[in-house]
Amino acid sequence: MTPPLTYLGFHLVFTLPPIALLGWLAVRRERAWWNWRSLSGFAILVALAMVYTTPWTNALIPEGVWWYGEGAVIATVWYTPVEEYLFFVLQTALTAFWLFHLLDVADVSLDLPGSHRLVGVLAGAALCLAGWLLLGTTSTFYLGAILFWAGPILAIQWGFGLTYLVRARRQVVLAIAVPTLYLWLADWVAISLGIWMISETHTIGVGVAGLPLEEMLFFLLTNVFIVQGIVLYVWVLDRLDVDPASSPVRSVARRLGGRPLDE
């Protein structure tokens, strides 16, 4: 059955308009972070999203975890529709542009306690391990794939800056919550219209108003990646400006008894 709205039409209705609005407001508002720091962080995250998510989607689609309505997509590259690759970029833009209106930098040193970093790494590793264990059962396959895929990224982000993320928790939570709720709604509409379908065999059968738990978790975690990534990136750049001596290049050079080339 051909859905009443194509995947490209979904982007024209649900993703591009809020991105355009948030970008326009960010340019006009002095308070918004529309500068080279935030935008370069956004560009880096888009590249990482493409590189890290592409193998994952192309592994799950052939397994029948989800598929697309007849005539809903223009073309596929590997097993993934071009509109899905576009979603990697557009979701990052949607969440990042919203974050730019909330972003602020707290006065926290880059020199965080090693115990805090260890807790962050172990928490991410635990999610990865849980995902690996869930992969062995058909009904938990999608849930396991999400956790196994998300764990390494969370381990890196939490291991690097868990202390700072806790300090900046208000902006982080708000920056994650709003686009996540919006994308849950958009995902529910897309599933209801038959633009894409989620396998009942590969999911645990728990959801909200027909939206599977796994889909909710996917959008939540991907927005966590985006928000935490940009927040940590801007924090690092800010601290290197405030305290140039904390630059890793300078620190290593001094330990070796030399000086960085720009000193």
Side-chain angles (χ1 to χ4, degrees), residues 187-212:
D187 189 27
W188 177 82
V189 171
I191 293 173
S192 300
L193 294 178
I195 300 173
W196 56 75
M197 283 73 71
I198 309 300
S199 169
E200 294 182 0
T201 304
H202 293 90
T203 53
I204 62 175
V206 176
V208 176
L211 182 61

Side-chain angles (χ1 to χ4, degrees), residues 7 11 15 19 42 45-58 61 66 68 77 80-95 149 218-219 222-223 226:
Y7 200 164
H11 284 316
T15 55
I19 289 170
F42 160 67
L45 283 175
V46 166
L48 292 175
M50 293 294 291
V51 171
Y52 193 66
T53 311
T54 294
W56 187 76
T57 59
N58 284 288
I61 291 174
W66 70 82
Y68 303 89
V77 178
T80 302
V82 294
E83 295 92 338
E84 189 88 351
Y85 293 111
L86 184 59
F87 209 157
F88 301 166
V89 179
L90 295 180
Q91 182 186 348
T92 306
L94 176 67
T95 303
W149 170 77
F218 172 78
F219 283 109
T222 47
N223 282 332
I226 296 165

Side-chain angles (χ1 to χ4, degrees), residues 96-115:
F97 289 8
W98 165 250
L99 171 62
F100 292 168
H101 292 274
L102 309 171
L103 194 57
D104 198 5
V105 181
D107 185 13
V108 178
S109 171
L110 294 176
D111 188 18
L112 302 180
S115 59

Side-chain angles (χ1 to χ4, degrees), residues 130-131 134-135 139-148 202-204 213-214 217:
L134 292 171
L135 286 172
S139 62
T140 59
F141 182 78
Y142 189 15
L143 179 60
I146 293 171
L147 295 177
F148 184 74
H202 293 90
T203 53
I204 62 175
L213 172 67
E214 291 84 353
L217 182 62

